[in-house]
Amino acid sequence: MRGMILWGLLLFANLTVAIGVVYVKHSNQVAFKQIQEQREAYHRLQTDWGRLLLEQGTLAAYARVEKEATKRLRMRRPDPSKVNLLSP
């Protein structure tokens, strides 16, 4: 009789530990998947940031700014004879 109770307790303990192992393994897989997704998002953002820096450099180039000022705003360089330089 005592052997049957001990056998039942050991079986219950074994099943409990097995369920715990499965739960922890599943939790680790979910966490690992989330980490991988975050790394992919980080790399995408780094790529976008680099592309935006290149675009900013292109848009802020002196020749492009001068071209846009001349074309869209109809600005022009002043005549050198009409420029007055002030000294401090």
Side-chain angles (χ1 to χ4, degrees), residues 7-43:
W7 181 256
L9 287 175
L10 287 175
L11 180 64
F12 177 74
N14 194 11
L15 288 175
T16 304
V17 169
I19 290 172
V21 168
V22 170
Y23 175 75
V24 168
K25 185 174 180 179
H26 175 71
S27 297
N28 284 341
Q29 287 175 343
V30 170
F32 183 75
K33 183 179 177 186
Q34 290 174 344
I35 289 171
Q36 290 301 103
E37 289 171 353
Q38 292 299 316
R39 282 183 181 161
E40 290 173 10
Y42 171 77
H43 289 300

Side-chain angles (χ1 to χ4, degrees), residues 11-80:
L11 180 64
F12 177 74
N14 194 11
L15 288 175
T16 304
V17 169
I19 290 172
V21 168
V22 170
Y23 175 75
V24 168
K25 185 174 180 179
H26 175 71
S27 297
N28 284 341
Q29 287 175 343
V30 170
F32 183 75
K33 183 179 177 186
Q34 290 174 344
I35 289 171
Q36 290 301 103
E37 289 171 353
Q38 292 299 316
R39 282 183 181 161
E40 290 173 10
Y42 171 77
H43 289 300
R44 278 194 310 274
L45 289 172
Q46 285 294 100
T47 303
D48 289 346
W49 176 248
R51 191 171 25 249
L52 287 172
L53 286 176
L54 286 173
E55 184 179 347
Q56 180 186 24
T58 302
L59 293 175
Y62 180 77
R64 186 176 189 291
V65 171
E66 186 175 6
K67 178 182 158 189
E68 290 296 318
T70 305
K71 185 177 177 183
R72 281 204 283 171
L73 301 176
R74 298 182 184 173
M75 297 175 83
R76 59 181 172 78
R77 290 186 178 269
D79 184 19

